[in-house]
Structures are given as structure tokens and as C-alpha cells.
Amino acid sequence: MLRKIIHIDEELCNGCGLCASACHEGAIGLADGKARLLRDDYCDGLGDCLPACPTGAISFIEREAAPYDAAAVAHAQTHAQGAGCPSAQARMFEREQVDLDAVQPSDSSSELGHWPIQIRLVSSQASFLDHADLLVAADCTAFSCGDFHTRFMRGRAVLVGCPKLDPADYASRLAAIIAENDIRSITVALMEVPCCAGLGKAVQDAIKASGKDIPCETVIITLDGQIH
């Protein structure tokens, strides 16, 4: 039948997986680093995936396609966990409340309270961002600082990225996160290496673009794990 259905421009797609997470029917997945429409009959043509795409790679077209099959979608959702891109599906974890004064540096329990954490995978509408103290950290920081979880992650929503290796536009993604949520404070954790400065600049540009006045502290971690 001739009907409206989504089209994904592979040249514009950066493979972030946000569209797959936004597609409740599981019609979109990732293959070879690009988003793909996996099944025409899973696409309802409503376009929940469109606003999730940061590069504008998704649009509507009208073409011959199998009709939307709501029964098949319901069956797949019942018999399969994690439709779409698993790395982009939002989850929150319950953490036992502890006496912070009693915590020892050797404590090894995780302080991660949600998933995902990669900047380019986190939706600006994720519930864990509401009223959050935000930690924006360079990828390498957690490996360089032995007590990173207890010192920096506890009680914060965590976003991580590497401006040198990741081609994503962090400033626009962070600006959307800040603009659409009541972020109480931002801590930026960077390595002392020059390439990390790009992440700090992206945070400052995002705050400016959001038009909000948010307390922001930057900490620098040396290659041998010292804090500045």
C-alpha cells in the first residue's frame, strides 16, 4: 500500500541511536554504525523518532510499504526485551543510602544511578535529569581518579564523552539538556591533556545558549590521578 513512512538519510545519520530509543515499536535499529528502518510494518508513521534525531537525518516520505501491524508490534514487545538500541534505553538504579562520613576510600560500590551516560545517547527528556546536579566528565577521568565514584558521581546525573574521539556536537546536545531541565549545578571533570578543553568549552557554550544561570565548577585531574 502507498502510505507515509519514515526515511533515514545515511549521510546525515551519526549512529547515535536516539531514534531507536524513541521508536516505541522497535522499527528502528543500528547496523554498521547507522540507523536503519528494520521493518516497514513496525513503523506507525507517527514520527516519534523525528525530534529525537540531532542531525535531522529522519524525514517522512510516501512510498509503497507494508501496512502498520499493531499486533506484530505488540507480540514483539511482549517476547523481546529492549527493542531498539539497548545502549540508548534509559534506566535508573536504586542505590542504598549510606552515611557519607562512614565511607572509606576503599569502598568499591558503584554510584552510577542511571543509564545511558554517553552525552550523545542521553535524551534531553530523560527523567534522571530533572532537578539534577550534573556531572559532565571526560571519558578518561574515571580511570585516572581512584575514588571517582564517591568523590564525583555520588548524587549526580552523569554524562561522559571525549571531544577528540567523538564527532558529536556536545554543545547543542548539552544546551538542550540544560534548557529542558531544572539543572541545579554542573561539575565538569577534565583530564589535564589539551584535548579535554573542548568538553569544558562545550559546557560553557551550552550554558550560555540555554540562557540560564547555573553554578558550574571545573576540576582538572592529572595523568597520575591528582585533583586540581
Side-chain angles (χ1 to χ4, degrees), residues 88-118:
Q89 291 181 341
R91 305 178 189 180
M92 297 183 69
F93 313 124
E94 293 292 334
R95 295 296 181 195
E96 182 181 356
Q97 297 298 312
V98 298
D99 181 358
L100 298 185
D101 294 332
V103 173
Q104 300 298 316
S106 59
D107 287 349
S108 59
S109 58
S110 173
E111 293 295 338
L112 183 61
H114 62 85
W115 186 266
I117 59 175
Q118 286 288 336

PDB file of all heavy atoms in Angstrom, residues 88-118:
ATOM      1  N   ALA A  88      20.967   2.951  24.326  1.00  0.00           N
ATOM      2  CA  ALA A  88      20.330   4.250  24.474  1.00  0.00           C
ATOM      3  C   ALA A  88      19.069   4.204  25.327  1.00  0.00           C
ATOM      4  O   ALA A  88      18.432   5.222  25.532  1.00  0.00           O
ATOM      5  CB  ALA A  88      19.994   4.826  23.097  1.00  0.00           C
ATOM      6  N   GLN A  89      18.699   3.028  25.828  1.00  0.00           N
ATOM      7  CA  GLN A  89      17.478   2.918  26.610  1.00  0.00           C
ATOM      8  C   GLN A  89      17.711   3.397  28.038  1.00  0.00           C
ATOM      9  O   GLN A  89      18.606   2.931  28.727  1.00  0.00           O
ATOM     10  CB  GLN A  89      16.990   1.477  26.607  1.00  0.00           C
ATOM     11  CG  GLN A  89      16.476   1.042  25.242  1.00  0.00           C
ATOM     12  CD  GLN A  89      15.980  -0.376  25.235  1.00  0.00           C
ATOM     13  OE1 GLN A  89      16.317  -1.156  26.108  1.00  0.00           O
ATOM     14  NE2 GLN A  89      15.181  -0.712  24.242  1.00  0.00           N
ATOM     15  N   ALA A  90      16.869   4.332  28.463  1.00  0.00           N
ATOM     16  CA  ALA A  90      17.038   4.940  29.779  1.00  0.00           C
ATOM     17  C   ALA A  90      16.647   3.964  30.888  1.00  0.00           C
ATOM     18  O   ALA A  90      15.617   3.302  30.830  1.00  0.00           O
ATOM     19  CB  ALA A  90      16.198   6.201  29.884  1.00  0.00           C
ATOM     20  N   ARG A  91      17.487   3.894  31.897  1.00  0.00           N
ATOM     21  CA  ARG A  91      17.215   3.088  33.083  1.00  0.00           C
ATOM     22  C   ARG A  91      17.713   3.848  34.309  1.00  0.00           C
ATOM     23  O   ARG A  91      18.654   4.632  34.228  1.00  0.00           O
ATOM     24  CB  ARG A  91      17.941   1.736  33.027  1.00  0.00           C
ATOM     25  CG  ARG A  91      17.663   0.916  31.784  1.00  0.00           C
ATOM     26  CD  ARG A  91      18.451  -0.375  31.797  1.00  0.00           C
ATOM     27  NE  ARG A  91      18.357  -1.083  30.529  1.00  0.00           N
ATOM     28  CZ  ARG A  91      18.958  -2.244  30.271  1.00  0.00           C
ATOM     29  NH1 ARG A  91      19.709  -2.806  31.208  1.00  0.00           N
ATOM     30  NH2 ARG A  91      18.824  -2.823  29.104  1.00  0.00           N
ATOM     31  N   MET A  92      17.061   3.599  35.435  1.00  0.00           N
ATOM     32  CA  MET A  92      17.505   4.189  36.695  1.00  0.00           C
ATOM     33  C   MET A  92      17.718   3.068  37.695  1.00  0.00           C
ATOM     34  O   MET A  92      17.012   2.059  37.687  1.00  0.00           O
ATOM     35  CB  MET A  92      16.490   5.211  37.218  1.00  0.00           C
ATOM     36  CG  MET A  92      16.323   6.402  36.284  1.00  0.00           C
ATOM     37  SD  MET A  92      15.203   7.669  36.902  1.00  0.00           S
ATOM     38  CE  MET A  92      16.166   8.311  38.278  1.00  0.00           C
ATOM     39  N   PHE A  93      18.717   3.236  38.581  1.00  0.00           N
ATOM     40  CA  PHE A  93      19.078   2.210  39.545  1.00  0.00           C
ATOM     41  C   PHE A  93      18.865   2.740  40.958  1.00  0.00           C
ATOM     42  O   PHE A  93      19.179   3.893  41.254  1.00  0.00           O
ATOM     43  CB  PHE A  93      20.546   1.801  39.384  1.00  0.00           C
ATOM     44  CG  PHE A  93      20.951   1.538  37.963  1.00  0.00           C
ATOM     45  CD1 PHE A  93      22.002   2.223  37.392  1.00  0.00           C
ATOM     46  CD2 PHE A  93      20.266   0.609  37.193  1.00  0.00           C
ATOM     47  CE1 PHE A  93      22.375   1.991  36.081  1.00  0.00           C
ATOM     48  CE2 PHE A  93      20.635   0.364  35.883  1.00  0.00           C
ATOM     49  CZ  PHE A  93      21.691   1.052  35.327  1.00  0.00           C
ATOM     50  N   GLU A  94      18.329   1.886  41.801  1.00  0.00           N
ATOM     51  CA  GLU A  94      18.181   2.248  43.210  1.00  0.00           C
ATOM     52  C   GLU A  94      19.498   2.020  43.929  1.00  0.00           C
ATOM     53  O   GLU A  94      20.095   0.953  43.816  1.00  0.00           O
ATOM     54  CB  GLU A  94      17.076   1.418  43.872  1.00  0.00           C
ATOM     55  CG  GLU A  94      15.673   1.723  43.346  1.00  0.00           C
ATOM     56  CD  GLU A  94      15.196   3.100  43.729  1.00  0.00           C
ATOM     57  OE1 GLU A  94      15.682   3.623  44.757  1.00  0.00           O
ATOM     58  OE2 GLU A  94      14.352   3.660  43.002  1.00  0.00           O
ATOM     59  N   ARG A  95      19.959   3.028  44.666  1.00  0.00           N
ATOM     60  CA  ARG A  95      21.187   2.902  45.442  1.00  0.00           C
ATOM     61  C   ARG A  95      20.853   3.051  46.927  1.00  0.00           C
ATOM     62  O   ARG A  95      20.119   3.942  47.321  1.00  0.00           O
ATOM     63  CB  ARG A  95      22.205   3.983  45.039  1.00  0.00           C
ATOM     64  CG  ARG A  95      22.702   3.851  43.601  1.00  0.00           C
ATOM     65  CD  ARG A  95      23.471   2.569  43.391  1.00  0.00           C
ATOM     66  NE  ARG A  95      23.965   2.457  42.020  1.00  0.00           N
ATOM     67  CZ  ARG A  95      24.417   1.339  41.486  1.00  0.00           C
ATOM     68  NH1 ARG A  95      24.427   0.220  42.192  1.00  0.00           N
ATOM     69  NH2 ARG A  95      24.845   1.308  40.232  1.00  0.00           N
ATOM     70  N   GLU A  96      21.409   2.155  47.731  1.00  0.00           N
ATOM     71  CA  GLU A  96      21.185   2.210  49.173  1.00  0.00           C
ATOM     72  C   GLU A  96      21.791   3.478  49.750  1.00  0.00           C
ATOM     73  O   GLU A  96      22.915   3.866  49.434  1.00  0.00           O
ATOM     74  CB  GLU A  96      21.807   0.985  49.840  1.00  0.00           C
ATOM     75  CG  GLU A  96      21.591   0.934  51.345  1.00  0.00           C
ATOM     76  CD  GLU A  96      22.252  -0.291  51.964  1.00  0.00           C
ATOM     77  OE1 GLU A  96      22.804  -1.107  51.208  1.00  0.00           O
ATOM     78  OE2 GLU A  96      22.210  -0.401  53.204  1.00  0.00           O
ATOM     79  N   GLN A  97      21.016   4.177  50.590  1.00  0.00           N
ATOM     80  CA  GLN A  97      21.512   5.380  51.247  1.00  0.00           C
ATOM     81  C   GLN A  97      22.546   4.998  52.306  1.00  0.00           C
ATOM     82  O   GLN A  97      22.325   4.102  53.108  1.00  0.00           O
ATOM     83  CB  GLN A  97      20.358   6.143  51.904  1.00  0.00           C
ATOM     84  CG  GLN A  97      19.317   6.659  50.910  1.00  0.00           C
ATOM     85  CD  GLN A  97      19.919   7.642  49.931  1.00  0.00           C
ATOM     86  OE1 GLN A  97      20.630   8.573  50.330  1.00  0.00           O
ATOM     87  NE2 GLN A  97      19.630   7.446  48.657  1.00  0.00           N
ATOM     88  N   VAL A  98      23.692   5.675  52.289  1.00  0.00           N
ATOM     89  CA  VAL A  98      24.757   5.358  53.229  1.00  0.00           C
ATOM     90  C   VAL A  98      25.184   6.623  53.953  1.00  0.00           C
ATOM     91  O   VAL A  98      24.929   7.744  53.517  1.00  0.00           O
ATOM     92  CB  VAL A  98      25.986   4.743  52.502  1.00  0.00           C
ATOM     93  CG1 VAL A  98      25.601   3.442  51.831  1.00  0.00           C
ATOM     94  CG2 VAL A  98      26.541   5.714  51.478  1.00  0.00           C
ATOM     95  N   ASP A  99      25.838   6.417  55.095  1.00  0.00           N
ATOM     96  CA  ASP A  99      26.411   7.515  55.854  1.00  0.00           C
ATOM     97  C   ASP A  99      27.705   7.932  55.174  1.00  0.00           C
ATOM     98  O   ASP A  99      28.686   7.196  55.168  1.00  0.00           O
ATOM     99  CB  ASP A  99      26.675   7.056  57.293  1.00  0.00           C
ATOM    100  CG  ASP A  99      27.253   8.175  58.166  1.00  0.00           C
ATOM    101  OD1 ASP A  99      27.479   9.287  57.632  1.00  0.00           O
ATOM    102  OD2 ASP A  99      27.477   7.937  59.364  1.00  0.00           O
ATOM    103  N   LEU A 100      27.713   9.124  54.574  1.00  0.00           N
ATOM    104  CA  LEU A 100      28.870   9.564  53.817  1.00  0.00           C
ATOM    105  C   LEU A 100      30.111   9.670  54.686  1.00  0.00           C
ATOM    106  O   LEU A 100      31.232   9.457  54.216  1.00  0.00           O
ATOM    107  CB  LEU A 100      28.578  10.914  53.151  1.00  0.00           C
ATOM    108  CG  LEU A 100      27.423  10.912  52.132  1.00  0.00           C
ATOM    109  CD1 LEU A 100      27.324  12.283  51.473  1.00  0.00           C
ATOM    110  CD2 LEU A 100      27.610   9.837  51.092  1.00  0.00           C
ATOM    111  N   ASP A 101      29.943   9.985  55.965  1.00  0.00           N
ATOM    112  CA  ASP A 101      31.098  10.119  56.861  1.00  0.00           C
ATOM    113  C   ASP A 101      31.748   8.769  57.150  1.00  0.00           C
ATOM    114  O   ASP A 101      32.901   8.704  57.564  1.00  0.00           O
ATOM    115  CB  ASP A 101      30.671  10.775  58.176  1.00  0.00           C
ATOM    116  CG  ASP A 101      30.228  12.226  57.988  1.00  0.00           C
ATOM    117  OD1 ASP A 101      30.735  12.866  57.038  1.00  0.00           O
ATOM    118  OD2 ASP A 101      29.385  12.695  58.757  1.00  0.00           O
ATOM    119  N   ALA A 102      30.972   7.701  56.928  1.00  0.00           N
ATOM    120  CA  ALA A 102      31.495   6.367  57.232  1.00  0.00           C
ATOM    121  C   ALA A 102      32.122   5.699  56.014  1.00  0.00           C
ATOM    122  O   ALA A 102      32.707   4.634  56.123  1.00  0.00           O
ATOM    123  CB  ALA A 102      30.372   5.478  57.779  1.00  0.00           C
ATOM    124  N   VAL A 103      32.007   6.332  54.858  1.00  0.00           N
ATOM    125  CA  VAL A 103      32.533   5.732  53.634  1.00  0.00           C
ATOM    126  C   VAL A 103      34.050   5.803  53.623  1.00  0.00           C
ATOM    127  O   VAL A 103      34.646   6.844  53.897  1.00  0.00           O
ATOM    128  CB  VAL A 103      31.960   6.451  52.392  1.00  0.00           C
ATOM    129  CG1 VAL A 103      32.634   5.943  51.132  1.00  0.00           C
ATOM    130  CG2 VAL A 103      30.463   6.226  52.316  1.00  0.00           C
ATOM    131  N   GLN A 104      34.677   4.697  53.301  1.00  0.00           N
ATOM    132  CA  GLN A 104      36.126   4.629  53.216  1.00  0.00           C
ATOM    133  C   GLN A 104      36.561   4.713  51.760  1.00  0.00           C
ATOM    134  O   GLN A 104      35.830   4.301  50.857  1.00  0.00           O
ATOM    135  CB  GLN A 104      36.633   3.309  53.825  1.00  0.00           C
ATOM    136  CG  GLN A 104      36.259   3.135  55.289  1.00  0.00           C
ATOM    137  CD  GLN A 104      36.872   4.212  56.155  1.00  0.00           C
ATOM    138  OE1 GLN A 104      38.049   4.552  56.007  1.00  0.00           O
ATOM    139  NE2 GLN A 104      36.075   4.753  57.071  1.00  0.00           N
ATOM    140  N   PRO A 105      37.763   5.237  51.508  1.00  0.00           N
ATOM    141  CA  PRO A 105      38.239   5.327  50.129  1.00  0.00           C
ATOM    142  C   PRO A 105      38.266   4.003  49.396  1.00  0.00           C
ATOM    143  O   PRO A 105      38.196   3.965  48.177  1.00  0.00           O
ATOM    144  CB  PRO A 105      39.661   5.895  50.291  1.00  0.00           C
ATOM    145  CG  PRO A 105      39.630   6.617  51.596  1.00  0.00           C
ATOM    146  CD  PRO A 105      38.704   5.810  52.466  1.00  0.00           C
ATOM    147  N   SER A 106      38.370   2.903  50.153  1.00  0.00           N
ATOM    148  CA  SER A 106      38.464   1.588  49.527  1.00  0.00           C
ATOM    149  C   SER A 106      37.100   1.027  49.116  1.00  0.00           C
ATOM    150  O   SER A 106      37.022  -0.009  48.475  1.00  0.00           O
ATOM    151  CB  SER A 106      39.137   0.598  50.483  1.00  0.00           C
ATOM    152  OG  SER A 106      38.389   0.494  51.684  1.00  0.00           O
ATOM    153  N   ASP A 107      35.995   1.699  49.527  1.00  0.00           N
ATOM    154  CA  ASP A 107      34.670   1.211  49.152  1.00  0.00           C
ATOM    155  C   ASP A 107      34.547   1.152  47.635  1.00  0.00           C
ATOM    156  O   ASP A 107      34.868   2.110  46.943  1.00  0.00           O
ATOM    157  CB  ASP A 107      33.582   2.121  49.723  1.00  0.00           C
ATOM    158  CG  ASP A 107      33.431   1.951  51.222  1.00  0.00           C
ATOM    159  OD1 ASP A 107      34.012   1.004  51.749  1.00  0.00           O
ATOM    160  OD2 ASP A 107      32.749   2.773  51.857  1.00  0.00           O
ATOM    161  N   SER A 108      34.077   0.022  47.122  1.00  0.00           N
ATOM    162  CA  SER A 108      34.087  -0.188  45.678  1.00  0.00           C
ATOM    163  C   SER A 108      32.704  -0.248  45.053  1.00  0.00           C
ATOM    164  O   SER A 108      32.569  -0.594  43.888  1.00  0.00           O
ATOM    165  CB  SER A 108      34.841  -1.489  45.348  1.00  0.00           C
ATOM    166  OG  SER A 108      34.212  -2.586  45.990  1.00  0.00           O
ATOM    167  N   SER A 109      31.642   0.080  45.808  1.00  0.00           N
ATOM    168  CA  SER A 109      30.302   0.015  45.248  1.00  0.00           C
ATOM    169  C   SER A 109      30.105   1.128  44.224  1.00  0.00           C
ATOM    170  O   SER A 109      30.657   2.214  44.341  1.00  0.00           O
ATOM    171  CB  SER A 109      29.252   0.133  46.352  1.00  0.00           C
ATOM    172  OG  SER A 109      29.419   1.340  47.060  1.00  0.00           O
ATOM    173  N   SER A 110      29.309   0.832  43.205  1.00  0.00           N
ATOM    174  CA  SER A 110      29.067   1.802  42.141  1.00  0.00           C
ATOM    175  C   SER A 110      28.124   2.898  42.612  1.00  0.00           C
ATOM    176  O   SER A 110      27.186   2.651  43.373  1.00  0.00           O
ATOM    177  CB  SER A 110      28.465   1.103  40.918  1.00  0.00           C
ATOM    178  OG  SER A 110      28.080   2.037  39.941  1.00  0.00           O
ATOM    179  N   GLU A 111      28.371   4.112  42.151  1.00  0.00           N
ATOM    180  CA  GLU A 111      27.493   5.237  42.443  1.00  0.00           C
ATOM    181  C   GLU A 111      26.694   5.650  41.217  1.00  0.00           C
ATOM    182  O   GLU A 111      26.037   6.691  41.224  1.00  0.00           O
ATOM    183  CB  GLU A 111      28.321   6.429  42.940  1.00  0.00           C
ATOM    184  CG  GLU A 111      28.989   6.211  44.277  1.00  0.00           C
ATOM    185  CD  GLU A 111      27.998   6.052  45.425  1.00  0.00           C
ATOM    186  OE1 GLU A 111      26.848   6.517  45.282  1.00  0.00           O
ATOM    187  OE2 GLU A 111      28.362   5.453  46.449  1.00  0.00           O
ATOM    188  N   LEU A 112      26.739   4.842  40.169  1.00  0.00           N
ATOM    189  CA  LEU A 112      26.006   5.161  38.956  1.00  0.00           C
ATOM    190  C   LEU A 112      24.513   4.942  39.188  1.00  0.00           C
ATOM    191  O   LEU A 112      24.095   3.853  39.566  1.00  0.00           O
ATOM    192  CB  LEU A 112      26.488   4.291  37.795  1.00  0.00           C
ATOM    193  CG  LEU A 112      25.855   4.571  36.422  1.00  0.00           C
ATOM    194  CD1 LEU A 112      26.161   5.990  35.976  1.00  0.00           C
ATOM    195  CD2 LEU A 112      26.356   3.562  35.390  1.00  0.00           C
ATOM    196  N   GLY A 113      23.731   5.980  38.965  1.00  0.00           N
ATOM    197  CA  GLY A 113      22.306   5.898  39.255  1.00  0.00           C
ATOM    198  C   GLY A 113      21.408   5.786  38.044  1.00  0.00           C
ATOM    199  O   GLY A 113      20.182   5.738  38.181  1.00  0.00           O
ATOM    200  N   HIS A 114      21.982   5.758  36.842  1.00  0.00           N
ATOM    201  CA  HIS A 114      21.145   5.726  35.644  1.00  0.00           C
ATOM    202  C   HIS A 114      21.963   5.236  34.457  1.00  0.00           C
ATOM    203  O   HIS A 114      23.179   5.098  34.512  1.00  0.00           O
ATOM    204  CB  HIS A 114      20.598   7.123  35.348  1.00  0.00           C
ATOM    205  CG  HIS A 114      21.688   8.124  35.056  1.00  0.00           C
ATOM    206  ND1 HIS A 114      22.247   8.288  33.806  1.00  0.00           N
ATOM    207  CD2 HIS A 114      22.342   8.996  35.869  1.00  0.00           C
ATOM    208  CE1 HIS A 114      23.180   9.225  33.860  1.00  0.00           C
ATOM    209  NE2 HIS A 114      23.267   9.663  35.092  1.00  0.00           N
ATOM    210  N   TRP A 115      21.251   5.001  33.377  1.00  0.00           N
ATOM    211  CA  TRP A 115      21.843   4.625  32.091  1.00  0.00           C
ATOM    212  C   TRP A 115      20.950   5.178  30.994  1.00  0.00           C
ATOM    213  O   TRP A 115      19.737   5.221  31.194  1.00  0.00           O
ATOM    214  CB  TRP A 115      21.938   3.090  31.977  1.00  0.00           C
ATOM    215  CG  TRP A 115      22.676   2.653  30.744  1.00  0.00           C
ATOM    216  CD1 TRP A 115      22.140   2.315  29.528  1.00  0.00           C
ATOM    217  CD2 TRP A 115      24.095   2.544  30.607  1.00  0.00           C
ATOM    218  NE1 TRP A 115      23.136   1.990  28.642  1.00  0.00           N
ATOM    219  CE2 TRP A 115      24.350   2.133  29.282  1.00  0.00           C
ATOM    220  CE3 TRP A 115      25.175   2.762  31.464  1.00  0.00           C
ATOM    221  CZ2 TRP A 115      25.628   1.934  28.800  1.00  0.00           C
ATOM    222  CZ3 TRP A 115      26.439   2.559  30.980  1.00  0.00           C
ATOM    223  CH2 TRP A 115      26.666   2.138  29.669  1.00  0.00           C
ATOM    224  N   PRO A 116      21.484   5.672  29.867  1.00  0.00           N
ATOM    225  CA  PRO A 116      22.894   5.712  29.462  1.00  0.00           C
ATOM    226  C   PRO A 116      23.635   6.884  30.088  1.00  0.00           C
ATOM    227  O   PRO A 116      23.043   7.715  30.783  1.00  0.00           O
ATOM    228  CB  PRO A 116      22.799   5.875  27.942  1.00  0.00           C
ATOM    229  CG  PRO A 116      21.536   6.654  27.743  1.00  0.00           C
ATOM    230  CD  PRO A 116      20.584   6.146  28.781  1.00  0.00           C
ATOM    231  N   ILE A 117      24.943   6.948  29.810  1.00  0.00           N
ATOM    232  CA  ILE A 117      25.747   8.046  30.318  1.00  0.00           C
ATOM    233  C   ILE A 117      26.483   8.798  29.207  1.00  0.00           C
ATOM    234  O   ILE A 117      26.937   9.918  29.432  1.00  0.00           O
ATOM    235  CB  ILE A 117      26.768   7.569  31.384  1.00  0.00           C
ATOM    236  CG1 ILE A 117      27.713   6.512  30.811  1.00  0.00           C
ATOM    237  CG2 ILE A 117      26.048   7.063  32.614  1.00  0.00           C
ATOM    238  CD1 ILE A 117      28.816   6.090  31.779  1.00  0.00           C
ATOM    239  N   GLN A 118      26.630   8.215  28.032  1.00  0.00           N
ATOM    240  CA  GLN A 118      27.287   8.918  26.940  1.00  0.00           C
ATOM    241  C   GLN A 118      26.451  10.122  26.515  1.00  0.00           C
ATOM    242  O   GLN A 118      25.240  10.006  26.309  1.00  0.00           O
ATOM    243  CB  GLN A 118      27.492   7.994  25.742  1.00  0.00           C
ATOM    244  CG  GLN A 118      28.606   6.980  25.929  1.00  0.00           C
ATOM    245  CD  GLN A 118      29.989   7.619  25.877  1.00  0.00           C
ATOM    246  OE1 GLN A 118      30.166   8.684  25.295  1.00  0.00           O
ATOM    247  NE2 GLN A 118      30.962   6.970  26.487  1.00  0.00           N
TER     248      GLN A 118
END
